[in-house]
């Protein structure tokens, strides 16, 4: 498992800053991950909205993506 903070770049990119290994992991639209909410992890899909020109969580559009703590499963 990789935990870190979501960051969006100026070039419409998005990545997770890995807490343990001090590296960035690039994500793609449609990527499945877990969002930290209080003391639990909620499965979400991150996607790029071409209409809004920004990243958002599918079905959770009102939550700001940038700066959220997330977890990825290692493939």
């Amino acid at each position: 498992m990789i935990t870190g903070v979501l960051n969006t770049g100026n070039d419409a990119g998005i990545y997770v800053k890995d807490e343990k290994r001090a590296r960035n992991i690039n994500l793609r639209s449609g990527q499945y991950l877990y969002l930290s909410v209080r003391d639990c992890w909620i499965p979400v899909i991150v996607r790029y909205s071409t209409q809004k020109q920004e990243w958002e969580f599918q079905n959770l559009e009102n939550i700001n993506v940038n700066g959220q703590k997330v977890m990825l499963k290692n493939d």
Side-chain angles (χ1 to χ4, degrees):
M1 298 288 202
I2 298 169
T3 59
V5 176
L6 274 177
N7 292 293
T8 55
N10 294 337
D11 58 351
I14 189 169
Y15 62 92
V16 176
K17 185 169 179 93
D18 187 349
E19 293 176 340
K20 292 183 181 177
R21 296 190 182 165
R23 63 181 173 148
N24 295 335
I25 300 166
N26 293 323
L27 301 178
R28 63 187 185 287
S29 187
Q31 182 105 24
Y32 183 84
L33 44 89
Y34 296 88
L35 174 65
S36 177
V37 179
R38 296 202 181 215
D39 59 348
C40 65
W41 296 97
I42 297 174
V44 294
I45 296 174
V46 66
R47 67 181 181 99
Y48 188 75
S49 170
T50 54
Q51 292 175 337
K52 296 180 189 175
Q53 299 293 304
E54 63 184 30
W55 288 92
E56 60 189 16
F57 295 117
Q58 186 171 320
N59 301 321
L60 297 170
E61 290 83 5
N62 294 330
I63 297 177
N64 187 6
V65 171
N66 205 23
Q68 295 293 334
K69 185 172 182 174
V70 295
M71 177 175 57
L72 297 167
K73 287 188 176 184
N74 294 9
D75 291 334

